[in-house]
Amino acid sequence: MGQKCTGIVLSVFPYNDKTYFVHIYSDLFGRVTYKIPASKSKKANVRRSLFMPFSVLEMEVEHIPGRDIQKIIEVSPFSIKHSLLTDPVKSALAMFLAEVLSKTIREQEQNLPLFNFINDSIELLQLTDSGVANFHILFLTSLSKYLGFMINSETYKINYMLDMIEGEFVINAPMHPYYLDKNNSRLIFNVLNMNFSNMDTYKFSRTQRNLILDQLLYFFKLHIPDLKEIKSLNVLKELFI
């Protein structure tokens, strides 16, 4: 018997000439791998063209607990995110953030706060035109809260350094090498004060923005040791001046 759920596409990859696997983050089941046909027929119940990164889909699925690969019975777009398809900057952001999620979220169980955060972020990216250059940075700092290793901005004071293991700002350098100097710590602290309402007021140079992005991804790597390379990172770095 089918179950109806909403899913966010994280990644798609070919299995053979006739089949693709797709990783989806579902409101009911968490991260799930589904098998979909490679057919591009518009008459098919499950069309490959619907599964773009950050697509939000209404699905009827056959979900059997413990099975590695689940089955989609029928699927349709929850809503069409036109600007994520037509705007090259937003398309690149969607590709990058979907890849980050695909490589950081592993839980195959319901987590509605995380699902709602991702879903709301997709809607905001679709609608916003100002501050887009900072969107992915803000998304990463917000995502870390849901993954359980956020940076505590309340510990910051002038000339403090960020201990990237503890996620706190400290006055003395820790005994390990995983910390930022005072200038870079200040830069990260500024980012932590950013939100989706004021992100358009934060002006960073390309060098600063790329530095922030590298530091945040390194922070993720420290707390998710087997985090794989984010292949879309270099493309993203070339977009913003």
Side-chain angles (χ1 to χ4, degrees), residues 127-181:
L127 296 174
T128 191
D129 290 317
S130 58
V132 172
N134 292 328
F135 186 92
H136 54 305
I137 292 172
L138 179 53
F139 183 94
L140 290 178
T141 59
S142 301
L143 175 62
S144 68
K145 301 174 186 177
Y146 293 93
L147 298 181
F149 50 86
M150 63 179 286
I151 299 171
N152 184 358
S153 62
E154 294 182 358
T155 59
Y156 181 79
K157 293 182 180 179
I158 294 175
N159 292 328
Y160 271 39
M161 295 168 283
L162 176 58
D163 182 332
M164 300 184 80
I165 297 295
E166 298 298 328
E168 295 183 346
F169 294 95
V170 295
I171 190 170
N172 296 314
M175 298 300 292
H176 57 74
Y178 309 114
Y179 66 94
L180 301 183
D181 63 27

Side-chain angles (χ1 to χ4, degrees), residues 52-227:
M52 302 296 291
F54 259 25
S55 294
V56 183
L57 306 173
E58 287 292 326
M59 305 186 299
E60 182 178 356
V61 302
E62 179 185 275
H63 190 90
I64 299 177
R67 186 168 68 180
D68 291 336
I69 310 297
Q70 304 290 351
K71 179 182 179 181
I72 299 177
I73 299 171
E74 193 168 2
V75 63
S76 61
F78 180 80
S79 62
I80 304 298
K81 310 297 185 186
H82 292 289
S83 71
L84 300 192
L85 300 175
T86 59
D87 185 313
V89 171
K90 291 185 179 182
S91 295
L93 284 170
M95 185 80 67
F96 169 75
L97 295 177
E99 184 182 357
V100 169
L101 291 171
S102 180
K103 292 178 177 178
T104 56
I105 298 176
R106 284 85 182 273
E107 294 77 11
Q108 298 179 357
E109 57 188 27
Q110 186 183 57
N111 184 338
L112 281 178
L114 177 55
F115 177 87
N116 290 334
F117 161 70
I118 300 169
N119 192 38
D120 291 346
S121 296
I122 293 171
E123 186 67 22
L124 185 60
L125 179 59
Q126 159 71 14
L127 296 174
T128 191
D129 290 317
S130 58
V132 172
N134 292 328
F135 186 92
H136 54 305
I137 292 172
L138 179 53
F139 183 94
L140 290 178
T141 59
S142 301
L143 175 62
S144 68
K145 301 174 186 177
Y146 293 93
L147 298 181
F149 50 86
M150 63 179 286
I151 299 171
N152 184 358
S153 62
E154 294 182 358
T155 59
Y156 181 79
K157 293 182 180 179
I158 294 175
N159 292 328
Y160 271 39
M161 295 168 283
L162 176 58
D163 182 332
M164 300 184 80
I165 297 295
E166 298 298 328
E168 295 183 346
F169 294 95
V170 295
I171 190 170
N172 296 314
M175 298 300 292
H176 57 74
Y178 309 114
Y179 66 94
L180 301 183
D181 63 27
K182 297 174 183 178
N183 290 332
N184 287 333
S185 295
R186 173 68 182 178
L187 193 59
I188 293 297
F189 173 69
N190 288 338
V191 168
L192 296 176
N193 290 320
M194 190 164 57
N195 57 54
F196 288 118
S197 298
N198 67 13
M199 63 182 180
D200 61 322
T201 66
Y202 283 75
K203 310 300 180 183
F204 300 110
S205 67
R206 170 178 285 184
T207 299
Q208 287 176 319
R209 190 173 285 108
N210 287 343
L211 178 62
I212 291 167
L213 189 55
D214 285 338
Q215 290 170 340
L216 289 177
L217 288 176
Y218 187 63
F219 179 63
F220 272 62
K221 177 68 175 176
L222 288 173
H223 293 271
I224 307 176
D226 57 345
L227 179 62

Side-chain angles (χ1 to χ4, degrees), residues 5-29:
C5 64
T6 304
I8 298 168
V9 179
L10 303 182
S11 60
V12 184
F13 55 96
Y15 176 67
N16 54 37
D17 292 341
K18 298 182 179 180
T19 304
Y20 280 82
F21 286 152
V22 56
H23 292 146
I24 286 180
Y25 195 65
S26 161
D27 60 343
L28 293 186
F29 310 112

